[in-house]
Amino acid sequence: MTIMKLDLCEPGFYQIKKWLVLFRLRAFHFRLYKQARNLFLIIIFANPNLHVKYPSPSNQFFESSFKTTCTNVMKKIFMYLPAVLFTITTAAQTSQEKLTAEILHLDSAFWNTYNNCDTAAFKNYFTDDVEFYHDKGGITTTAASLIESLNKNLCGNSNYRLRREAVAGTVNVYPMQKGNEIYGAVISGEHLFYITTDGKPEFLDGQALFMDLWLLKNGTWKMARIISYNHHPAEYQEIEAPPEKLDALTGSYLSPQFGAVSVERKDSILLLKAGNETYNLYPKSYTEFFTKGRDLVFKFVMSSSKPEKIMVYEHGVVADEVIYQK
């Protein structure tokens, strides 16, 4: 990194220009740079005492007079600089925070209509030429086609409901600009999908990444591009369980569906064997385990230091109750 040496004895305006160039390199927005420039010029010219006067080169006191004037000006700039930088930083934060809050509000409102199958309200959120890209379902173009597809599929079966939920802490908003004007915003993050069928309890079905482009036209925000990708089964957070905790759960069990069931430890996971099937159980707690690729959860019910049974859940619904034998 190159460090520019600033000489207080350079001509005042040239010195100021170098400061503005340095500040402009640090600015993320041309409009903020202009604000900084104007504030610097106000500092210098608002007070007559700060005017830089250039003595004649033939004046024998040129050097000392110029140094004194220049030094006084720069001292004033250094005095006001923290306030200037604070003002510019605050303006940038306020602008970004306002945009983020607005897009998050619109995003939440749209997904609320989606979760409630309020298809009549969908058109309020789409541009006419909206494009929806799904890594499993392909491409859907135009608002009319997208709304028709949602009506027939997602919202076409009263015994089936899908609920989308953004993952907290993963959602970010980024401004889209041309020059110093904001024309759109991109919102991206992770989202989860929950399913309810035939009145049964809701269960977590899958998760994916998303990225949506909102455009600002005639003062109104609408979604122009919707991308949902990397869809995969829901994942649970795996923890590291001590070997002794895992060993305490091993033994023989009996299932009313599969008969004899055995549980043994293999390194940092458990192996559950039932008939011809073997399941790798990954710990999400010391007594609760899950499989990968299928939404199965195995919850060990303890009695003192020994297991009493294993409650098996698929999609959040009890699928089996396996009793501990020895």
Side-chain angles (χ1 to χ4, degrees), residues 65 67 81 119 136 169 232 259 264 279 295:
S65 176
K67 283 185 176 181
L81 185 58
T119 55
K136 305 297 183 184
H232 54 275
E264 59 186 65
Y279 299 91
D295 189 14

Side-chain angles (χ1 to χ4, degrees), residues 17-271:
K17 182 179 179 181
K18 289 175 68 174
W19 271 97
L20 291 175
V21 170
L22 284 174
F23 187 81
R24 188 174 185 179
L25 293 175
R26 296 290 302 276
F28 296 101
H29 196 292
F30 180 67
R31 180 169 53 192
L32 299 183
Y33 160 72
K34 290 195 295 185
Q35 291 176 357
R37 179 195 63 191
N38 294 339
L39 285 170
F40 276 125
L41 294 179
I42 289 172
I43 292 170
I44 295 168
F45 294 112
N47 189 331
N49 295 328
L50 294 181
H51 286 174
V52 180
K53 299 180 179 179
Y54 294 96
S56 169
S58 61
N59 192 319
Q60 61 178 332
F61 299 107
F62 172 80
E63 183 176 354
S64 60
S65 176
F66 179 80
K67 283 185 176 181
T68 301
T69 304
C70 183
T71 301
N72 289 338
V73 170
M74 295 314 298
K75 283 182 178 179
K76 287 292 185 179
I77 290 178
F78 290 140
M79 180 175 70
Y80 286 103
L81 185 58
V84 172
L85 295 179
F86 175 78
T87 301
I88 300 306
T89 302
T90 302
Q93 291 175 341
T94 302
S95 177
Q96 178 62 41
E97 289 172 356
K98 181 179 179 181
L99 175 66
T100 298
E102 188 169 11
I103 297 301
L104 287 176
H105 172 73
L106 289 168
D107 180 77
S108 175
F110 166 73
W111 288 109
N112 184 57
T113 65
Y114 176 91
N115 290 336
N116 289 286
C117 279
D118 186 2
T119 55
F122 283 171
K123 62 181 180 181
N124 298 326
Y125 297 94
F126 301 142
T127 60
D128 291 338
D129 61 348
V130 65
E131 296 179 4
F132 175 47
Y133 297 85
H134 193 287
D135 66 340
K136 305 297 183 184
I139 305 173
T140 305
T141 58
T142 76
S145 297
L146 182 54
I147 293 172
E148 181 183 4
S149 174
L150 292 170
N151 268 319
K152 287 182 178 179
N153 300 303
L154 174 68
C155 303
N157 183 353
S158 60
N159 292 320
Y160 174 90
R161 280 291 178 267
L162 183 143
R163 182 175 67 86
R164 179 265 190 191
E165 179 182 290
V167 178
T170 69
V171 180
N172 293 289
V173 175
Y174 305 94
M176 302 292 287
Q177 298 176 205
K178 183 177 182 180
N180 63 345
E181 296 295 328
I182 293 177
Y183 68 86
V186 169
I187 182 170
S188 63
E190 299 178 29
H191 50 185
L192 303 174
F193 297 95
Y194 296 84
I195 290 178
T196 302
T197 58
D198 300 320
K200 296 178 181 178
E202 180 184 74
F203 64 88
L204 178 62
D205 180 66
Q207 61 190 96
L209 301 176
F210 73 92
M211 181 172 65
D212 303 330
L213 172 64
W214 289 78
L215 295 181
L216 180 61
K217 293 184 177 181
N218 300 320
T220 302
W221 286 98
K222 290 196 174 185
M223 277 193 290
R225 299 294 182 269
I226 307 168
I227 305 175
S228 189
Y229 60 103
N230 192 30
H231 287 81
H232 54 275
E235 296 178 356
Y236 297 97
Q237 187 64 43
E238 181 180 353
I239 69 166
E240 184 175 345
E244 60 271 18
K245 293 290 186 181
L246 298 177
D247 289 337
L249 305 175
T250 60
S252 299
Y253 294 78
L254 184 63
S255 164
Q257 295 186 44
F258 301 100
V261 173
S262 67
V263 176
E264 59 186 65
R265 178 171 67 86
K266 180 183 179 182
D267 300 325
S268 60
I269 67 172
L270 292 177
L271 296 182

